[in-house]
Amino acid sequence: MVEAEVERRSRAAAPVGRGVVVYLAIVAATALLQLAAILGFASTHYFVSHSSYAFDAIAEQKATVAGQDADVLFVGSSAVATGVDPAVIAGDTGLSAFNLGVTVSAFAYDPDFLVDRYLAQNKPPRIIVFYVTPTVSLHDPTIPMYEAAGMILRHGNWREIAALFLLNPRRLLEFAHQVLVVIADSNWNEAKYQAVIGLLQAHAGFVPMDDAPGAAKAYGWAKDYTAFCAARSVQHPPDVDEIMHFRRKYTRPGTAVLIFVAPLADCYQSAG
């Protein structure tokens, strides 16, 4: 009798167990489909051209610039994007220049990414200036990855995309969450994107934060920099290995690589 009862309960439990497995499989498949949909949408030009986040437009313009053929190429984080005016360089040296600066996220994850794409679509410059800032730690895993992830998703090859997401699934989930945040915050007006692209094209990649008619107002860019100085900042020593790699990779006949280590701003010194 006991054995018969055990067998009866086992048979009754089997369908329940299979049902749980099927349910979990459906939930997992639904989640993967939703994730794929988010990534697919984020990889489109429609998404980036209607994003409420200004640096989506900046990264897009820098990753797709073609026919610029500048004599001097400046590479670095947002300190370059907002601090190096190619018009001033041209006026002082007679050499054309282009500003390839992007956010710290888009730059620090892989400093080579944008340079490789620029060189594939433009003539090699006479000088590449690798602008190193003391507040940026290259390849820092703690830096938010939204800008880098979006840029690589839209313009990277499958190996670069796999290296970014598959080797660290957490990045995938964080990026998907940030995409949803941007979607919720966007008003789907392409005028903002066009204003920023026009600004960058007019200034050879430079972002004039103090004089950005239309774009600054559209994106609400701050002109009071004291807020940035209020935060504590950690100074990092220059990444010698990365600098040497950069010089070896991009120095070639007709192209010199210069390294500029920017001084630490007074506001950061006082904040520390």
Side-chain angles (χ1 to χ4, degrees):
M1 294 291 293
V2 174
E3 292 178 355
E5 180 64 17
V6 170
E7 183 178 356
R8 184 186 67 80
R9 292 186 178 182
S10 298
R11 290 176 178 175
V16 175
R18 287 194 296 271
V20 170
V21 171
V22 171
Y23 173 78
L24 293 176
I26 293 174
V27 170
T30 302
L32 289 175
L33 288 173
Q34 291 175 335
L35 185 60
I38 293 172
L39 295 181
F41 183 49
S43 69
T44 64
H45 179 72
Y46 183 88
F47 170 80
V48 73
S49 64
H50 291 78
S51 169
S52 61
Y53 186 50
F55 279 101
D56 275 338
I58 293 174
E60 186 71 6
Q61 194 266 350
K62 302 297 176 74
T64 58
V65 62
Q68 191 69 37
D69 302 334
D71 295 319
V72 184
L73 180 66
F74 286 88
V75 180
S77 65
S78 55
V80 177
T82 61
V84 177
D85 187 350
V88 174
I89 303 299
D92 289 346
T93 67
L95 299 175
S96 63
F98 186 78
N99 186 322
L100 203 64
V102 287
T103 63
V104 61
S105 160
F107 170 68
Y109 171 73
D110 184 0
D112 296 0
F113 185 84
L114 279 176
V115 181
D116 291 342
R117 273 141 193 83
Y118 178 91
L119 294 177
Q121 302 174 104
N122 299 268
K123 294 179 181 178
R126 294 169 59 181
I127 301 171
I128 299 177
V129 179
F130 188 29
Y131 192 108
V132 180
T133 51
T135 55
V136 174
S137 178
L138 300 179
H139 307 292
D140 185 350
T142 66
I143 295 177
M145 296 300 299
Y146 171 76
E147 294 92 342
M151 191 169 61
I152 292 173
L153 182 65
R154 287 186 289 272
H155 302 289
N157 57 46
W158 69 269
R159 290 187 181 87
E160 292 166 328
I161 295 173
L164 175 66
F165 290 129
L166 297 184
L167 297 181
N168 191 340
R170 178 180 175 183
R171 289 175 179 165
L172 181 63
L173 298 178
E174 289 176 348
F175 175 69
H177 173 260
Q178 287 301 117
V179 169
L180 292 177
V181 171
V182 170
I183 290 174
D185 191 50
S186 296
N187 62 4
W188 306 109
N189 184 352
E190 193 176 2
K192 291 183 177 182
Y193 172 82
Q194 294 298 341
V196 175
I197 295 298
L199 181 76
L200 294 171
Q201 291 174 341
H203 293 274
F206 172 55
V207 182
M209 297 290 280
D210 290 326
D211 184 19
K217 183 178 180 181
Y219 277 98
W221 287 345
K223 294 185 178 181
D224 181 5
Y225 296 104
T226 57
F228 297 104
C229 295
R232 297 178 63 88
S233 180
V234 178
Q235 185 173 2
H236 302 277
D239 188 332
V240 176
D241 290 339
E242 183 65 35
I243 289 173
M244 295 305 296
H245 157 78
F246 195 89
R247 294 191 71 172
R248 285 193 299 267
K249 180 174 180 179
Y250 295 111
T251 298
R252 61 189 68 179
T255 299
V257 174
L258 304 181
I259 309 300
F260 176 75
V261 180
L264 193 65
D266 290 340
C267 64
Y268 282 119
Q269 292 174 349
S270 62

